[in-house]
Amino acid sequence: MAIDETDRKLLAELQLDATQSYAALGQVVGMSAGATHERVRKLKAAGVIRRTAVEVDPAAVGQGVLAFVMLDADAWMGDEPTLRALAEIPAVQEAHIIAGPASVLVKVRTATTEDLQTTLRALHKVDGVTSTQTIVVLESCFERPPAVM
Amino acid sequence: MAIDETDRKLLAELQLDATQSYAALGQVVGMSAGATHERVRKLKAAGVIRRTAVEVDPAAVGQGVLAFVMLDADAWMGDEPTLRALAEIPAVQEAHIIAGPASVLVKVRTATTEDLQTTLRALHKVDGVTSTQTIVVLESCFERPPAVM
DNA sequence: ATTGAAATCCGGCTCTG
DNA sequence: CAGAGCCGGATTTCAAT
């Protein structure tokens, strides 16, 4: 889909606050509410907007500990069963196949460091994983939406 | 704030789809639309729900390249000026102070690997940064909302 | 339950290819 | 001439109290 400057502005606004009315959104880009609605509808239909969701404070829901774990493997980990095994660990929020020394990088959130340990044990049990290297986050300085270019 | 089982269900639903009506949400937790509305209002007021935003496909807006960069520093990087310098680099989406060999871990999204290189150059120029170690993501297997516990 | 606002739908207009 | 995009109003649904 072709994204123009108006779409970018809409996306930037909607990443900050998706609750505002189409009339207010229209103000920002200088269009009517109806036309704005149509733009956003198309962005959703095209998959540019994947979904609209609330952003929850992790600490408030028992996820105060954040860590990144690099997984080394003795085989290719990009296959379905392996990824499903990772997805079945609830603490695992993201999984990325990476270039470089390790094979997979996962982002993990838990309530306590003890739960983190439990998660690491679970990661070790995943087929193909030979070792893990954990980076514990002391403080998240900021997490923000992608700058729409 | 105290979060009960009903709140958790609401949060889980709203993380998947924040566009549904309070009537539909109420169905899930077995409550009236009005009562559901009140619950969600309190969750927002308490900061458990930080905001509601659209989730944009990074590749669709010229952010197809994802990398994690670990920054080594010769001084403490947790100060305001340093963090502001990081925040001013648009490609930097997240910054975390970490335990372990490096000081800071940043998540970076760019359109091309060439832009990634530009970003790395910018990171090197940040005060206190002595070296960087980059992990390029070949494929993101999944990125999902935190499992509300 | 009631009020007010906002999303959604529709017909007509304009500009462009 | 055909198509797409935008506007403005009418309708209905939903949020808010």
Side-chain angles (χ1 to χ4, degrees):
Chain A
M1 180 182 174
I3 309 286
D4 66 11
E5 196 51 42
T6 301
D7 291 325
R8 286 182 223 284
K9 281 185 194 164
L10 290 175
L11 290 172
E13 276 300 314
L14 289 171
Q15 281 183 325
L16 295 176
D17 179 13
T19 66
Q20 56 193 313
S21 70
Y22 286 118
L25 264 182
Q27 294 276 344
V28 176
V29 296
M31 289 197 325
S32 74
T36 306
H37 180 262
E38 179 64 9
R39 286 268 188 167
V40 175
R41 191 194 62 75
K42 280 183 184 168
L43 287 169
K44 285 180 180 171
V48 176
I49 294 176
R50 285 182 176 155
R51 61 176 168 179
T52 117
V54 298
E55 186 184 306
V56 172
D57 177 10
V61 293
Q63 307 249 72
V65 176
L66 172 62
F68 293 88
V69 184
M70 296 192 281
L71 306 176
D72 286 305
D74 59 6
W76 173 241
M77 284 192 65
D79 299 317
E80 268 309 311
T82 307
L83 296 180
R84 209 172 8 248
L86 288 178
E88 273 169 11
I89 304 172
V92 176
Q93 232 183 84
E94 302 178 14
H96 308 278
I97 298 189
I98 58 179
S103 305
V104 175
L105 176 67
V106 297
K107 186 177 185 177
V108 168
R109 280 190 200 270
T110 59
T112 65
T113 52
E114 194 183 331
D115 293 333
L116 176 56
Q117 207 178 340
T118 305
T119 302
L120 289 176
R121 209 177 349 252
L123 286 172
H124 269 289
K125 280 186 186 154
V126 172
D127 258 6
V129 173
T130 56
S131 73
T132 63
Q133 189 183 338
T134 304
I135 299 166
V136 177
V137 171
L138 302 177
E139 183 197 345
S140 287
C141 308
F142 61 85
E143 300 179 68
R144 65 183 175 191
V148 179
M149 304 195 192
Chain B
M1 178 185 175
I3 308 285
D4 66 10
E5 195 51 40
T6 301
D7 291 326
R8 287 182 219 285
K9 281 184 194 166
L10 289 175
L11 290 172
E13 275 300 312
L14 289 171
Q15 280 184 325
L16 295 175
D17 178 13
T19 65
Q20 56 192 313
S21 70
Y22 287 119
L25 264 182
Q27 294 276 344
V28 176
V29 295
M31 289 196 327
S32 73
T36 306
H37 179 263
E38 181 63 10
R39 286 267 188 167
V40 175
R41 190 193 62 76
K42 281 183 184 165
L43 288 168
K44 285 181 179 171
V48 177
I49 294 177
R50 285 181 176 158
R51 63 175 168 178
T52 118
V54 298
E55 185 185 308
V56 172
D57 176 10
V61 293
Q63 308 250 70
V65 176
L66 172 62
F68 293 89
V69 184
M70 296 192 283
L71 307 177
D72 287 304
D74 59 9
W76 173 241
M77 285 194 63
D79 299 317
E80 268 308 312
T82 308
L83 296 179
R84 208 171 9 246
L86 288 179
E88 273 169 11
I89 304 172
V92 175
Q93 236 182 82
E94 302 179 15
H96 308 279
I97 298 189
I98 59 178
S103 306
V104 174
L105 176 66
V106 298
K107 186 176 183 177
V108 168
R109 280 190 198 272
T110 58
T112 64
T113 51
E114 195 184 329
D115 294 335
L116 176 56
Q117 206 179 340
T118 305
T119 302
L120 288 176
R121 209 178 349 252
L123 287 171
H124 269 287
K125 280 185 188 155
V126 171
D127 258 7
V129 173
T130 56
S131 73
T132 63
Q133 189 183 339
T134 304
I135 298 166
V136 177
V137 171
L138 302 176
E139 183 196 343
S140 287
C141 307
F142 61 84
E143 299 178 69
R144 64 183 177 192
V148 179
M149 304 196 195

